């Protein structure tokens, strides 16, 4: 055994350091000698008993007891008391030399189980960095970025601060593996923020776990549904494998909710500045620096990415595999040449943009949500195909940045799933912003007229002709970029589902029952791959059902979920429950209670009166069936009504809840007042009048 503290002075130094830690933990950590802690851990690993230990039904391999470690530190002279020893144990844990088997405790004087770093289960990690050695390719995105002349935490000379255009500039050489991954992942440009993003959600090189043990759960897909399933299952003690071939965090973090809302906020600020005069503010037109707008987007996205990072999930006890997972049997999945055996599996492969079959569309570069957030230069003219939430949000953002935006509608209105009143309010707002609507169109063909010529045009975009027929007349619209937001399709062809006996439909997705169980009873599905409600919050709650049902014989049903949603146009549209058209189709009688924001004091003083609150109740009953809110912050306001419906709270009861004045949410309470007025029947009114007359007499 190695003798650590060869002199009394060394021992006394460690003890004295421990005693003073309570005065300044941060200063103490700086003063402590890392080498001493390493040597303590190495010697303790020799002295304490390490063996497989069992707690309830779980066996933990190669672990030791906290009581043995505390005893060692006191007997070795590193601590004079249990308190000192536990303080030293805290340092060993915080520095990574020791870890509790479920990462729930510091090293304390209890019979808890702990691993030394060398003995802890390996859940995956970034490959060791090697770019410092001559002739070795970088093993991290940071290394690639540095090698291209970038400075991850500083600025790089170029069109925008911090950008190294690795794919556009043929003079810059990049290793084949990194270039191939960048093209596949469609992350661009490789600036300091996207470098940080990639380090989190798709490390350039990742060492997989061995995958030899049988898993309680194997999750294919690292979007919201997969991440929630994996983290939640590992949190209750399950042995979990998470497989993702592209970007952890899925659409929401990388190409959906997060970047789009960052974009919309910048667009709204631009709109406020342009319309400042109506608030009594004298200002010139907003000058939009689109490059800076997109840089902000990338910075904020990167700052959130660590929550979904491979490293974080490995520290949660999830075995993380970066690669394509495919079923090879009803009980096994293959990834990166390794075979994983499971008790249960979850398909969470998400969805992807649908590209409509328009002649010539496949011959030009299009921007779906996968590519649009890579833009660094604003296209002068944009055509938007698709008038659902994504198309409307992006169209309104880009027109507010200064682009000429054309939206093409096969029908008469946008947001076809929303009620007519909501569609009308939003469409009027978008037209006021300057969006040009082409309604009732038939697409003839799309042709690229001119290629990109930045010297000639001043921008890096081509000239594209969209030929349509509208009201029997052929028209040609010239644009520089086409955004396609024509719906989504489930990803059902990436995991060899048929080999596992999992049935699916190319349009509807993975076929599941109400408990989210597939045709293979040991395999479940959740998220965009198996539902028409393609929302992050829906994926989250579907994952919670899967955890209960797959691991604990739960009986959760997806049909029990009450799902609100919002479209973040200006004004926003939010909805929960049923629409009037649904109730009419089912021949359900209902009452409607509507409060327009033009009658709401807060909306009036903020000049935001476009919108309303509409609540549908069962005929003659205080039972809410559905609600639609149109206006600023409608997405925030809908939660009050969602809670009421979920909890069986009636509209009349909401009227009795004091709402702060002045708030837009007060319109919900006022709708409750409208309901309560219906209780004042002619008979009740006559009785009250007679009572008051009697009291006056």
């Amino acid at each position: 055994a190695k003798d650590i503290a060869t002199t009394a002075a060394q021992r006394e130094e460690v003890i004295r350091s421990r005693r003073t830690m309570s005065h300044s933990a941060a200063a103490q950590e700086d003063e402590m000698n890392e080498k001493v802690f390493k040597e303590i851990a190495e010697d303790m690993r020799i002295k304490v008993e390490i063996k497989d230990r069992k707690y309830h039904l779980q066996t933990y391999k190669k672990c030791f007891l906290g009581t043995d470690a505390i005893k060692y530190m006191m007997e070795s002279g590193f601590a004079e008391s249990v308190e000192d020893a536990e303080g030293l144990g805290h340092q060993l844990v915080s520095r990574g030399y020791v870890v509790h088997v479920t990462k729930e405790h510091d090293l304390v004087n209890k019979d808890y189980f702990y691993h030394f770093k060398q003995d802890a289960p390996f859940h995956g990690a970034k490959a060791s960095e090697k770019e410092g050695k001559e002739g070795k390719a970088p093993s991290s995105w940071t290394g690639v970025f540095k090698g291209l002349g970038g400075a991850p935490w500083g600025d790089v000379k170029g069109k925008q601060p911090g950008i190294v255009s690795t794919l556009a500039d043929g003079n810059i050489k990049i290793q084949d593996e990194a270039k191939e991954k960048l093209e596949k992942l469609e992350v661009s440009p490789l600036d300091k923020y996207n470098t940080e993003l990639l380090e989190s959600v798709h490390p350039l090189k990742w060492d997989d776990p061995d995958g030899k043990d049988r898993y309680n759960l194997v999750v294919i897909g690292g979007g919201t549904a997969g991440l929630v399933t994996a983290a939640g299952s590992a949190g209750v003690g399950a042995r979990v494998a998470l497989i993702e071939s592209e970007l952890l965090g899925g659409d929401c973090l990388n190409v959906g909710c997060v970047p789009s809302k960052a974009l919309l906020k910048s667009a709204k600020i631009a709109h406020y500045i342009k319309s400042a005069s109506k608030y009594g503010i004298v200002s010139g037109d907003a000058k939009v620096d689109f490059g800076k707008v997109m840089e902000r987007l990338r910075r904020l996205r990167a700052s959130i990415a660590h929550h979904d990072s491979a490293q974080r999930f490995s520290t949660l006890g999830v075995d993380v595999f970066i690669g394509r997972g495919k079923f090879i049997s009803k009980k096994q999945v293959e990834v990166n040449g390794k075979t994983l055996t499971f008790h249960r599996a979850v398909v969470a492969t998400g969805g992807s943009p649908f590209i409509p079959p328009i002649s010539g569309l496949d011959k030009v570069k299009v921007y779906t949500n996968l590519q649009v957030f890579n833009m660094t230069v604003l296209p002068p003219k944009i055509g938007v195909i698709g008038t659902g939430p994504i198309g409307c949000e992006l169209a309104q953002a880009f027109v507010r940045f200064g682009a000429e935006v054309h939206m093409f509608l096969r029908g008469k209105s946008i947001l076809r799933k929303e009620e007519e009143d909501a569609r009308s309010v939003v469409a009027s707002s978008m037209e006021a912003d300057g969006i040009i609507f082409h309604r009732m169109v038939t697409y003839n063909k799309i042709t690229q007229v001119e290629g990109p010529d930045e010297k000639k045009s001043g921008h890096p975009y081509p000239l594209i002709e969209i030929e349509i027929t509208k009201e029997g007349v052929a028209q040609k619209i010239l644009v520089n970029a086409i955004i396609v937001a024509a719906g989504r399709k489930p990803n059902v062809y990436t995991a060899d589902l048929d080999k596992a006996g999992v049935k699916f439909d190319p349009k509807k997705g993975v076929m599941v029952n109400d408990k989210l169980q597939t045709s293979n009873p040991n395999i479940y599905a959740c998220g965009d791959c198996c539902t028409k409600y393609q929302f992050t919050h829906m994926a989250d709650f579907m994952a919670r059902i899967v955890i209960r049902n797959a691991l604990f014989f739960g009986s959760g049903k997806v049909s029990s979920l009450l799902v609100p949603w919002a479209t973040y146009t200006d004004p926003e549209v939010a909805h929960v429950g049923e629409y009037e058209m649904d109730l009419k189709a089912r021949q359900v009688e209902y009452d409607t209670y509507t409060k327009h924001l033009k009658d709401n004091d807060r909306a009036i003083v903020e000049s935001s009166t476009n919108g309303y609150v509409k609540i549908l109740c069962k005929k003659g009953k205080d039972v809410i069936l559905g609600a639609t809110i149109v206006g600023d912050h409608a997405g925030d306001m809908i939660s009050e009504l969602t809670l009421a419906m979920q909890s069986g709270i009636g509209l009349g009861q909401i009227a009795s809840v004091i709402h702060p004045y002045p708030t837009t949410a007060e319109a919900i309470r006022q709708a409750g007042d409208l309901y309560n007025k219906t209780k004042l029947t002619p008979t009740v009114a006559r009785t009250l009048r007679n009572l008051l007359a009697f009291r006056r007499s």
Side-chain angles (χ1 to χ4, degrees):
K2 183 177 180 180
D3 183 6
I4 315 156
T6 56
T7 68
Q10 284 179 302
R11 292 174 183 268
E12 185 60 31
E13 179 185 356
V14 175
I15 294 171
R16 186 169 56 253
S17 297
R18 289 301 320 129
R19 286 173 178 167
T20 59
M21 176 157 289
S22 59
H23 298 298
S24 177
Q28 183 63 36
E29 288 182 4
D30 290 337
E31 295 170 4
M32 290 296 241
N33 189 320
E34 190 71 32
K35 182 178 179 181
V36 172
F37 283 110
K38 182 179 180 181
E39 290 179 343
I40 291 173
E42 289 175 349
D43 191 66
M44 185 173 17
R45 186 165 179 259
I46 296 171
K47 301 289 180 60
V48 300
E49 183 181 26
I50 300 174
K51 65 178 185 179
D52 295 352
R53 301 175 189 270
K54 194 169 186 178
Y55 182 73
H56 292 170
L57 299 177
Q58 181 77 30
T59 298
Y60 298 95
K61 298 181 178 180
K62 295 184 179 181
C63 56
F64 64 93
L65 297 177
T67 50
D68 289 348
I70 299 300
K71 180 180 178 182
Y72 158 83
M73 285 186 278
M74 294 179 65
E75 290 181 348
S76 298
F78 289 103
E80 291 182 343
S81 66
V82 170
E83 182 182 1
D84 277 345
E86 288 184 340
L88 180 56
H90 166 75
Q91 288 298 307
L92 292 172
V93 170
S94 65
R95 293 167 187 265
Y97 294 112
V98 171
V99 60
H100 181 257
V101 291
T102 60
K103 299 180 176 64
E104 296 180 55
H105 301 287
D106 255 343
L107 183 54
V108 295
N109 192 35
K110 293 186 178 181
D111 287 336
Y112 295 156
F113 299 170
Y114 297 86
H115 293 295
F116 288 102
K117 178 173 65 175
Q118 302 94 317
D119 303 322
F122 180 65
H123 300 294
K126 292 181 182 179
S128 299
E129 195 62 73
K130 299 175 182 178
E131 58 262 31
K133 297 182 179 180
E134 187 176 352
K136 296 290 186 179
S139 59
S140 71
W141 293 110
T142 302
V144 172
F145 187 55
K146 286 181 179 178
L148 294 170
W153 316 118
D155 287 339
V156 177
K157 293 181 179 179
K159 294 179 183 177
Q160 295 179 53
I163 289 180
V164 175
S165 184
T166 57
L167 300 181
D169 190 341
N171 296 323
I172 296 178
K173 294 183 179 179
I174 182 172
Q175 64 184 102
D176 291 342
E177 180 183 5
K179 183 175 181 179
E180 182 180 340
K181 283 195 173 185
L182 278 174
E183 291 174 336
K184 172 190 171 186
L185 298 174
E186 296 190 273
V187 176
S188 176
L190 187 62
D191 67 347
K192 58 184 177 181
Y193 303 121
N194 277 343
T195 297
E196 185 180 348
L197 172 74
L198 288 167
E199 289 285 20
S200 290
V201 300
H202 193 106
L204 179 58
K205 293 185 180 180
W206 177 263
D207 292 333
D208 287 335
D210 58 42
K212 292 180 180 178
D213 293 340
R214 188 177 188 221
Y215 290 96
N216 295 107
L217 201 66
V218 170
V219 182
I220 300 179
T224 298
L227 293 179
V228 173
T229 302
S233 299
V236 296
R239 178 99 162 112
V240 182
L242 173 66
I243 304 171
E244 174 56 56
S245 63
E246 296 184 3
L247 301 176
L248 286 163
D251 275 17
C252 181
L253 169 67
N254 299 290
V255 293
C257 317
V258 170
S260 66
K261 301 311 162 283
L263 191 75
L264 291 175
K265 181 64 175 181
S266 294
K268 196 162 193 174
I269 296 300
H271 175 69
Y272 279 153
I273 295 173
K274 290 176 182 178
S275 57
S277 60
K278 77 175 183 179
Y279 297 95
I281 307 299
V282 178
S283 174
D285 289 338
K287 183 178 180 181
V288 176
D289 185 335
F290 186 74
K292 287 291 187 182
V293 167
M294 301 306 285
E295 184 180 49
R296 171 184 176 272
L297 178 157
R298 297 192 299 274
R299 172 172 56 82
L300 297 177
R301 178 174 60 184
S303 72
I304 296 172
H306 67 277
H307 295 297
D308 296 345
S309 70
Q311 200 68 45
R312 175 175 179 261
F313 274 76
S314 68
T315 61
L316 293 176
V318 176
D319 279 6
V320 178
F321 296 84
I322 304 297
R324 178 75 67 189
K326 295 185 177 183
F327 289 100
I328 57 175
S329 73
K330 292 185 177 182
K331 299 289 288 184
Q332 292 179 314
V333 171
E334 184 179 71
V335 55
N336 298 337
K338 296 181 178 180
T339 299
L340 312 185
T341 303
F342 59 81
H343 177 64
R344 296 283 188 267
V346 177
V347 179
T349 49
S352 54
F354 170 73
I355 306 298
I358 299 172
S359 177
L361 187 60
D362 59 340
K363 301 294 193 301
V364 300
K365 179 178 176 60
V366 299
Y367 295 85
T368 69
N369 68 300
L370 300 181
Q371 301 88 19
V372 71
F373 302 114
N374 292 339
M375 285 183 174
T376 58
V377 177
L378 180 69
K381 297 181 180 181
I382 300 174
V384 179
I385 297 174
T387 56
I390 297 174
C392 288
E393 289 178 9
L394 291 176
Q396 193 169 39
F398 278 104
V399 78
R400 288 180 167 185
F401 289 140
E404 179 181 298
V405 177
H406 297 260
M407 286 199 79
F408 300 92
L409 292 71
R410 291 183 186 272
K412 294 182 179 180
S413 62
I414 60 173
L415 301 174
R416 287 181 294 172
K417 293 183 180 180
E418 301 297 339
E419 63 182 31
E420 178 58 37
D421 290 343
R423 297 198 296 260
S424 177
V425 172
V426 175
S428 296
S429 176
M430 293 174 70
E431 285 183 308
D433 282 331
I435 292 175
I436 303 167
F437 286 108
H438 301 272
R439 295 178 170 86
M440 304 295 290
V441 306
T442 300
Y443 295 99
N444 298 330
K445 65 179 180 179
I446 295 176
T447 308
Q448 180 170 304
V449 179
E450 296 178 4
D453 188 344
E454 193 162 355
K455 290 183 179 179
K456 176 182 177 182
S457 63
H459 59 78
Y461 296 100
L463 186 63
I464 300 171
E465 181 182 84
I466 302 176
E467 184 179 322
I468 60 173
T469 297
K470 184 169 65 173
E471 298 178 350
V473 179
Q475 296 185 20
K476 296 179 180 180
I477 312 297
L478 294 176
V479 299
N480 302 110
I482 297 177
I483 293 175
V484 176
R488 295 176 60 76
K489 59 183 180 181
N491 294 332
V492 292
Y493 291 113
T494 58
D496 287 350
L497 299 175
D498 51 329
K499 293 183 180 179
V502 175
K503 295 181 180 179
F504 62 90
D505 180 274
K507 293 183 179 179
K508 296 180 180 179
V510 179
M511 310 302 289
V512 293
N513 61 21
D514 207 16
K515 295 183 178 181
L516 296 177
Q517 205 168 24
T518 70
S519 51
N520 180 334
N522 295 315
I523 299 177
Y524 291 72
C526 56
D528 290 3
C529 68
C530 65
T531 179
K532 64 179 180 179
Y533 298 108
Q534 296 187 342
F535 310 115
T536 295
H537 47 281
M538 183 60 169
D540 182 333
F541 276 77
M542 291 175 77
R544 296 167 191 240
I545 290 176
V546 164
I547 293 170
R548 296 195 299 270
N549 293 353
L551 299 179
F552 301 111
F553 310 103
S555 56
K557 295 182 179 180
V558 72
S559 61
S560 68
L561 297 177
L562 179 64
V563 188
W565 58 83
T567 298
Y568 299 93
T569 47
D570 186 7
E572 296 178 2
V573 180
H575 179 81
V576 65
E578 299 193 82
Y579 291 98
E580 290 187 79
M581 66 186 92
D582 301 325
L583 298 174
K584 289 176 181 178
R586 296 197 297 113
Q587 297 184 328
V588 175
E589 294 187 334
Y590 63 93
D591 295 316
T592 303
Y593 302 96
T594 303
K595 285 298 295 184
H596 291 278
L597 296 187
K598 64 183 177 62
D599 301 318
N600 177 270
D601 291 356
R602 180 62 180 272
I604 291 171
V605 298
E606 292 194 347
S607 300
S608 299
T609 55
N610 289 334
Y612 60 87
V613 173
K614 180 186 289 186
I615 302 171
L616 310 177
C617 291
K618 192 172 182 180
K619 185 74 173 178
K621 302 289 184 181
D622 194 9
V623 178
I624 302 174
L625 300 176
T628 297
I629 301 176
V630 181
D632 284 357
H633 309 295
D636 296 318
M637 292 169 62
I638 200 67
S639 293
E640 180 177 2
L641 291 165
T642 305
L643 175 62
M645 293 179 66
Q646 183 100 4
S647 305
I649 298 172
L651 185 55
Q653 291 175 274
I654 293 177
S656 67
V657 176
I658 299 176
H659 288 58
Y661 175 88
T663 58
T664 312
E666 199 180 17
I668 298 174
R669 182 194 60 75
Q670 292 167 341
D673 289 340
L674 293 178
Y675 167 79
N676 284 336
K677 287 180 181 179
T678 64
K679 294 181 179 180
L680 192 65
T681 63
T683 301
V684 173
R686 185 169 56 252
T687 301
L688 293 177
R689 285 195 300 270
N690 291 338
L691 175 61
L692 293 173
F694 172 76
R695 287 183 172 177
R696 291 194 303 269
S697 63

